Amino acid sequence: LERHGTTEDRWVASGVLTVACMADGDAADEKRLARLADLVNRTTEGPQDTGRLEIASALASLRLGEPNEAIATARGVIDGADSAAQVLLAKYVLTLASGRSEEPDAARRAFEDARQYDSDAPRASRIGAWQSRVFADTLRREAESLLEGNEPES
């Protein structure tokens, strides 16, 4: 956030936002996250890989205390994603957002759905890039911790 938090490029903002949302932050970081999320959501022009932008937006909504917004965005990605990696990430975001919106049964169903989805296809066809695999594993661990009532591992 310190180095790239002032970018005006929505694709750079999407990457920075996704990585920043994987770590805990303070109130000052929330302002930067909100600015990057606004940039990601502001324009619809550009490459058609909008699933990545929507996942970044859902993560930002989750981290900024707006789980219902994250749920709506994650469901949109699941319904229209271009890749299996995007669907998997969105399913874990949906798990976390449901858990944070006081819907434990919906969170458990979303988590089981994500785990099943993750195990149904060969790894190579599920996750195209190592970054997506790292993000999915990080979100999965956080979802497991949320559902078990523990603090997520760093």
Side-chain angles (χ1 to χ4, degrees):
L1 281 175
E2 187 67 34
R3 184 170 181 185
H4 299 290
T6 59
T7 185
E8 290 301 320
D9 181 296
R10 73 189 285 223
W11 294 97
V12 171
S14 168
V16 171
L17 189 58
T18 301
V19 170
C21 286
M22 295 294 174
D24 292 330
D26 58 22
D29 288 342
E30 288 182 7
K31 284 186 173 186
R32 290 186 200 170
L33 290 178
R35 193 195 79 70
L36 290 172
D38 181 57
L39 175 61
V40 166
N41 293 321
R42 187 178 330 148
T43 177
T44 57
E45 297 176 15
Q48 297 303 308
D49 181 22
T50 57
R52 189 176 100 192
L53 297 173
E54 291 169 342
I55 290 167
S57 177
L59 280 168
S61 295
L62 181 64
R63 299 304 186 223
L64 293 169
E66 301 168 356
N68 292 332
E69 184 69 28
I71 289 169
T73 304
R75 286 183 176 149
V77 172
I78 292 166
D79 292 341
D82 296 333
S83 77
Q86 292 170 358
V87 170
L88 181 61
L89 293 171
K91 286 176 182 276
Y92 282 127
V93 170
L94 180 60
T95 299
L96 292 168
S98 296
R100 299 236 168 87
S101 68
E102 307 294 326
E103 297 179 30
D105 291 338
R108 282 185 193 84
R109 284 191 306 272
F111 183 71
E112 289 306 318
D113 185 40
R115 286 181 47 183
Q116 183 63 47
Y117 185 86
D118 197 18
S119 67
D120 279 347
R123 184 171 291 255
S125 67
R126 282 195 319 262
I127 303 295
W130 67 268
Q131 296 99 327
S132 294
R133 182 77 257 162
V134 170
F135 291 151
D137 288 346
T138 302
L139 290 172
R140 179 188 46 77
R141 283 192 309 271
E142 185 175 345
E144 287 171 341
S145 293
L146 176 75
L147 293 173
E148 293 170 0
N150 300 322
E151 288 296 314
E153 296 176 17
S154 300

